């Protein structure tokens, strides 16, 4: 199972970071992308998550994002999100690098969260660059910029778009600093995010891969833990609270 070895590595770590994907939010009821009932099994990326798709049909793209935003607004951080925030409070976790756009790490209390792919609750204007928070679902679809009346788009990274360079630089810095990384709930197939945990390994650190299914990190991980995020963090917190024998 690997949980015992994972606990030992976490206890010994001096600069532990957490790298998360959609799987960490699965137990909050938010669908993943590539699992058996993943979003990309039901929808075509080309129609919904590319700049071309948005220019071609902003209404369709916004209908899909409004549906996902509703899911996110109605979701609650789960035990894994909360455990990660607790471990940061205890000084064990130094940063969370997430591919997720749902903001659940921050809602669980994590302070140092690096959002590589943006945030679905934020919008930006394609004309004037205005950025704002969407406190509730947009009244009109597609929503219009309050400054210039231009088209607003979700402030997320679409396929074919570069990641925010400041976030990527922060993530590389954290990975270079880390002596251990918990990789939780990601297939790891999307670059450049997917290679970030490998930097920790390349510098002699430890990669703990938490996933109920095999993924790209299995062959290189220091420890593979075949558990869901909630199961893993429940056991980890219990083990860390337990007085050492
Ligand atoms: N706990 C932990 N892991 C889980 C759970 C769970 N309860 N349920 C599913 N998983 C795992 C799946 O086995 C899979 O390996 O989560 C992973 C989800 O993989 P993807 O759906 O590919 O999501 P992710 O890795 O985050 O995708 C990366 O791709 O579509 C783009 O921008 C999008 O950020 C996303 C990126």
């Amino acid at each position: 199972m690997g949980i015992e070895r994972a606990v030992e590595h976490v206890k010994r770590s001096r600069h532990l970071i957490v790298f998360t994907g959609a799987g960490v939010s699965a137990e909050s009821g938010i669908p993943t992308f590539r699992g058996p009932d993943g979003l990309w099994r039901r929808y075509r990326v080309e129609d919904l998550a590319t700049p071309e798709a948005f220019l071609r049909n902003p209404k369709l793209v916004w209908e899909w994002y409004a549906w996902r935003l509703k899911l996110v607004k109605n979701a609650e951080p789960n035990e894994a999100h909360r455990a990660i925030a607790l471990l940061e409070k205890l000084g064990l976790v130094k940063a969370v690098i997430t591919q997720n756009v749902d903001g659940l790490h921050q809602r669980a209390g994590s302070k140092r969260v690096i959002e590589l792919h943006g945030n679905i609750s934020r919008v930006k204007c394609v004309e004037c660059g205005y950025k704002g928070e969407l406190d509730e679902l947009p009244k009109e679809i597609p929503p219009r910029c309050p400054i210039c009346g231009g088209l607003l788009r979700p402030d997320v990274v679409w396929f074919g778009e570069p990641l925010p360079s400041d976030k990527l630089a922060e993530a590389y810095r954290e990975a270079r600093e880390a002596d251990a990384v918990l990789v939780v709930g990601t297939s790891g197939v999307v670059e450049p995010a997917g290679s970030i945990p490998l930097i920790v390994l390349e510098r002699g650190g430890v990669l703990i891969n938490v996933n109920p299914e095999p993924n790209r990190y299995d062959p290189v991980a220091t420890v593979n833990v075949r558990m869901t995020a909630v199961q893993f963090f429940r056991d980890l917190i219990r083990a860390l609270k337990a007085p050492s024998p």
Side-chain angles (χ1 to χ4, degrees), residues 21-23 27 32-34 40 99 117 185-187 190 211-212 228-229:
E27 287 155 290
T32 62
F33 294 97
R34 294 172 186 83
W40 299 145
Q99 301 169 91
H117 293 164
T186 182
S187 59
V190 169
N211 199 315
T228 72

Side-chain angles (χ1 to χ4, degrees), residues 166-222:
D166 57 333
K167 302 294 181 202
L168 200 49
E170 268 183 74
Y172 285 141
R173 223 178 2 262
E174 281 297 340
R176 284 196 296 270
E177 273 284 299
D179 62 350
V181 56
L182 282 172
V183 177
V184 187
T186 182
S187 59
V189 297
V190 169
E191 297 297 358
S195 297
I196 290 172
L198 305 179
I199 297 169
V200 181
L201 272 186
E202 283 152 19
R203 299 172 63 85
V206 159
L207 187 154
I208 299 163
N209 185 25
V210 180
N211 199 315
E213 302 293 329
N215 65 10
R216 78 162 291 175
Y217 303 103
D218 274 55
V220 297
T222 315

Side-chain angles (χ1 to χ4, degrees), residues 9 11 39 67 87 170:
H9 284 300
K11 280 181 176 171
L39 290 173
W67 170 72
L87 291 173
E170 268 183 74

Side-chain angles (χ1 to χ4, degrees), residues 26-77:
E27 287 155 290
S28 294
I30 297 181
T32 62
F33 294 97
R34 294 172 186 83
D37 59 346
L39 290 173
W40 299 145
R41 293 288 170 92
R42 291 180 266 162
Y43 303 98
R44 282 165 27 97
V45 172
E46 304 82 317
D47 298 342
L48 296 165
T50 64
E52 296 75 18
F54 184 72
L55 289 179
R56 195 172 47 241
N57 192 338
K59 189 170 179 310
L60 173 73
V61 171
W62 260 110
E63 280 162 358
W64 191 63
Y65 272 92
W67 170 72
R68 288 184 63 202
L69 186 58
K70 193 156 184 256
L71 273 178
V72 165
K73 295 275 185 201
N74 293 336
E76 288 300 323

